[in-house]
Amino acid sequence: MMTTSATNSTTATNSKATVNSAVPEAPLTEKATSAAHQAVDTLSSKAAAAELNIRKGASTSAETLSEKQKLAQDKITEYSGKTRKLASENPLATAGIAFAAGMLVTALIRRK
């Protein structure tokens, strides 16, 4: 029974020593906290810069896409006008080409 009391006493003493040893570590905790805050601030500023670059890139891409879309629409309008003119000048050739294209599409569909 004496051994148990001595063990409990030693455990209580070690427990107090552990609690007391935590007090001197407060400056270390403050340094770690400060370093963590600084890391988060740095990461935040880098993320903001990356977001700005992505937004600029997206805006530039949207403008470029809009220009390409307009250019494609202009080409479609130009070529459809030329096609209509050719079809009205050569109706027999147009009918022959349409027939051949229909036969080709039908053959490809049946092949599957």
Side-chain angles (χ1 to χ4, degrees):
M1 204 104 204
M2 290 290 236
T3 308
T4 307
S5 296
T7 305
N8 288 340
S9 175
T10 305
T11 305
T13 305
N14 288 342
S15 176
K16 288 180 184 176
T18 305
V19 172
N20 290 337
S21 67
V23 174
E25 291 181 335
L28 181 62
T29 303
E30 289 176 13
K31 287 179 184 178
T33 303
S34 176
H37 283 295
Q38 186 177 6
V40 168
D41 291 343
T42 302
L43 182 62
S44 175
S45 65
K46 287 183 180 183
E51 180 185 5
L52 183 61
N53 287 337
I54 289 170
R55 287 183 186 275
K56 283 181 183 178
S59 176
T60 302
S61 295
E63 291 171 4
T64 302
L65 182 62
S66 177
E67 291 171 5
K68 297 282 185 182
Q69 188 177 14
K70 177 148 177 36
L71 181 65
Q73 187 64 38
D74 291 345
K75 291 288 185 183
I76 289 172
T77 303
E78 177 186 345
Y79 289 130
S80 68
K82 286 181 181 180
T83 303
R84 284 191 180 130
K85 182 179 176 188
L86 180 66
S88 66
E89 290 175 357
N90 302 308
L92 189 57
T94 303
I97 291 170
F99 179 75
M103 293 297 289
L104 179 64
V105 169
T106 302
L108 291 173
I109 290 174
R110 284 187 181 172
R111 208 171 171 188
K112 289 183 179 182

